[in-house]
PDB file of all heavy atoms in Angstrom:
ATOM      1  N   ILE T  21     -11.616   4.581 -84.334  1.00 95.00           N
ATOM      2  CA  ILE T  21     -12.075   3.968 -83.090  1.00 95.00           C
ATOM      3  C   ILE T  21     -12.529   2.564 -83.440  1.00 95.00           C
ATOM      4  O   ILE T  21     -13.424   2.389 -84.279  1.00 95.00           O
ATOM      5  CB  ILE T  21     -13.230   4.757 -82.447  1.00 95.00           C
ATOM      6  CG1 ILE T  21     -12.803   6.201 -82.170  1.00 95.00           C
ATOM      7  CG2 ILE T  21     -13.695   4.075 -81.169  1.00 95.00           C
ATOM      8  CD1 ILE T  21     -13.959   7.101 -81.750  1.00 95.00           C
ATOM      9  N   VAL T  32     -14.837   2.914 -86.745  1.00 93.00           N
ATOM     10  CA  VAL T  32     -15.313   4.124 -87.398  1.00 93.00           C
ATOM     11  C   VAL T  32     -14.173   5.142 -87.399  1.00 93.00           C
ATOM     12  O   VAL T  32     -13.386   5.202 -86.461  1.00 93.00           O
ATOM     13  CB  VAL T  32     -16.576   4.678 -86.694  1.00 93.00           C
ATOM     14  CG1 VAL T  32     -16.306   5.034 -85.264  1.00 93.00           C
ATOM     15  CG2 VAL T  32     -17.169   5.842 -87.451  1.00 93.00           C
ATOM     16  N   LEU T  77     -15.411   8.772 -77.898  1.00 93.00           N
ATOM     17  CA  LEU T  77     -15.145   7.339 -78.008  1.00 93.00           C
ATOM     18  C   LEU T  77     -16.405   6.486 -78.119  1.00 93.00           C
ATOM     19  O   LEU T  77     -16.412   5.483 -78.828  1.00 93.00           O
ATOM     20  CB  LEU T  77     -14.325   6.856 -76.810  1.00 93.00           C
ATOM     21  CG  LEU T  77     -12.900   7.388 -76.725  1.00 93.00           C
ATOM     22  CD1 LEU T  77     -12.266   6.953 -75.421  1.00 93.00           C
ATOM     23  CD2 LEU T  77     -12.082   6.929 -77.917  1.00 93.00           C
ATOM     24  N   ILE T  78     -17.459   6.853 -77.422  1.00 93.00           N
ATOM     25  CA  ILE T  78     -18.656   6.006 -77.334  1.00 93.00           C
ATOM     26  C   ILE T  78     -19.806   6.513 -78.200  1.00 93.00           C
ATOM     27  O   ILE T  78     -20.479   5.740 -78.870  1.00 93.00           O
ATOM     28  CB  ILE T  78     -19.117   5.863 -75.867  1.00 93.00           C
ATOM     29  CG1 ILE T  78     -17.980   5.358 -74.981  1.00 93.00           C
ATOM     30  CG2 ILE T  78     -20.354   4.979 -75.767  1.00 93.00           C
ATOM     31  CD1 ILE T  78     -17.439   3.992 -75.334  1.00 93.00           C
ATOM     32  N   HIS T  81     -20.525   7.193 -82.959  1.00 88.00           N
ATOM     33  CA  HIS T  81     -21.185   6.408 -84.007  1.00 88.00           C
ATOM     34  C   HIS T  81     -22.228   5.504 -83.360  1.00 88.00           C
ATOM     35  O   HIS T  81     -21.995   4.933 -82.290  1.00 88.00           O
ATOM     36  CB  HIS T  81     -20.146   5.579 -84.770  1.00 88.00           C
ATOM     37  CG  HIS T  81     -20.675   5.007 -86.035  1.00 88.00           C
ATOM     38  ND1 HIS T  81     -21.328   3.797 -86.081  1.00 88.00           N
ATOM     39  CD2 HIS T  81     -20.665   5.481 -87.303  1.00 88.00           C
ATOM     40  CE1 HIS T  81     -21.686   3.550 -87.321  1.00 88.00           C
ATOM     41  NE2 HIS T  81     -21.298   4.555 -88.082  1.00 88.00           N
ATOM     42  N   GLN T  82     -23.348   5.327 -84.015  1.00 90.00           N
ATOM     43  CA  GLN T  82     -24.446   4.545 -83.430  1.00 90.00           C
ATOM     44  C   GLN T  82     -24.078   3.088 -83.186  1.00 90.00           C
ATOM     45  O   GLN T  82     -24.561   2.476 -82.229  1.00 90.00           O
ATOM     46  CB  GLN T  82     -25.701   4.642 -84.284  1.00 90.00           C
ATOM     47  CG  GLN T  82     -25.580   4.023 -85.658  1.00 90.00           C
ATOM     48  CD  GLN T  82     -26.797   4.292 -86.528  1.00 90.00           C
ATOM     49  OE1 GLN T  82     -27.533   5.246 -86.302  1.00 90.00           O
ATOM     50  NE2 GLN T  82     -27.006   3.443 -87.514  1.00 90.00           N
ATOM     51  N   ASP T  83     -23.212   2.502 -84.014  1.00 88.00           N
ATOM     52  CA  ASP T  83     -22.805   1.112 -83.799  1.00 88.00           C
ATOM     53  C   ASP T  83     -21.967   0.955 -82.525  1.00 88.00           C
ATOM     54  O   ASP T  83     -22.111  -0.016 -81.792  1.00 88.00           O
ATOM     55  CB  ASP T  83     -22.015   0.577 -84.992  1.00 88.00           C
ATOM     56  CG  ASP T  83     -22.866   0.409 -86.239  1.00 88.00           C
ATOM     57  OD1 ASP T  83     -24.111   0.401 -86.111  1.00 88.00           O
ATOM     58  OD2 ASP T  83     -22.291   0.271 -87.331  1.00 88.00           O
ATOM     59  N   ILE T  84     -21.092   1.915 -82.265  1.00 90.00           N
ATOM     60  CA  ILE T  84     -20.293   1.875 -81.038  1.00 90.00           C
ATOM     61  C   ILE T  84     -21.183   2.086 -79.834  1.00 90.00           C
ATOM     62  O   ILE T  84     -21.060   1.375 -78.821  1.00 90.00           O
ATOM     63  CB  ILE T  84     -19.164   2.914 -81.088  1.00 90.00           C
ATOM     64  CG1 ILE T  84     -18.161   2.543 -82.186  1.00 90.00           C
ATOM     65  CG2 ILE T  84     -18.465   3.023 -79.733  1.00 90.00           C
ATOM     66  CD1 ILE T  84     -17.073   3.570 -82.427  1.00 90.00           C
ATOM     67  N   LEU T  85     -22.090   3.005 -79.907  1.00 90.00           N
ATOM     68  CA  LEU T  85     -23.020   3.265 -78.802  1.00 90.00           C
ATOM     69  C   LEU T  85     -23.872   2.029 -78.515  1.00 90.00           C
ATOM     70  O   LEU T  85     -24.074   1.652 -77.366  1.00 90.00           O
ATOM     71  CB  LEU T  85     -23.904   4.477 -79.112  1.00 90.00           C
ATOM     72  CG  LEU T  85     -24.841   4.940 -78.020  1.00 90.00           C
ATOM     73  CD1 LEU T  85     -24.069   5.347 -76.760  1.00 90.00           C
ATOM     74  CD2 LEU T  85     -25.688   6.091 -78.504  1.00 90.00           C
ATOM     75  N   ALA T  86     -24.348   1.368 -79.564  1.00 88.00           N
ATOM     76  CA  ALA T  86     -25.152   0.156 -79.381  1.00 88.00           C
ATOM     77  C   ALA T  86     -24.334  -0.948 -78.725  1.00 88.00           C
ATOM     78  O   ALA T  86     -24.815  -1.659 -77.827  1.00 88.00           O
ATOM     79  CB  ALA T  86     -25.694  -0.329 -80.725  1.00 88.00           C
ATOM     80  N   ALA T  87     -23.075  -1.096 -79.130  1.00 86.00           N
ATOM     81  CA  ALA T  87     -22.217  -2.115 -78.531  1.00 86.00           C
ATOM     82  C   ALA T  87     -21.946  -1.808 -77.062  1.00 86.00           C
ATOM     83  O   ALA T  87     -21.876  -2.705 -76.230  1.00 86.00           O
ATOM     84  CB  ALA T  87     -20.893  -2.205 -79.296  1.00 86.00           C
ATOM     85  N   TYR T  88     -21.835  -0.551 -76.730  1.00 87.00           N
ATOM     86  CA  TYR T  88     -21.585  -0.132 -75.340  1.00 87.00           C
ATOM     87  C   TYR T  88     -22.782  -0.498 -74.452  1.00 87.00           C
ATOM     88  O   TYR T  88     -22.615  -1.013 -73.355  1.00 87.00           O
ATOM     89  CB  TYR T  88     -21.309   1.365 -75.284  1.00 87.00           C
ATOM     90  CG  TYR T  88     -21.100   1.910 -73.901  1.00 87.00           C
ATOM     91  CD1 TYR T  88     -19.911   1.662 -73.222  1.00 87.00           C
ATOM     92  CD2 TYR T  88     -22.079   2.660 -73.262  1.00 87.00           C
ATOM     93  CE1 TYR T  88     -19.708   2.159 -71.939  1.00 87.00           C
ATOM     94  CE2 TYR T  88     -21.877   3.158 -71.997  1.00 87.00           C
ATOM     95  CZ  TYR T  88     -20.694   2.915 -71.347  1.00 87.00           C
ATOM     96  OH  TYR T  88     -20.506   3.409 -70.080  1.00 87.00           O
TER      97      TYR T  88
END
Side-chain angles (χ1 to χ4, degrees):
I21 302 170
V32 61
L77 293 174
I78 306 298
H81 193 273
Q82 65 187 23
D83 291 343
I84 294 174
L85 185 60
Y88 177 74

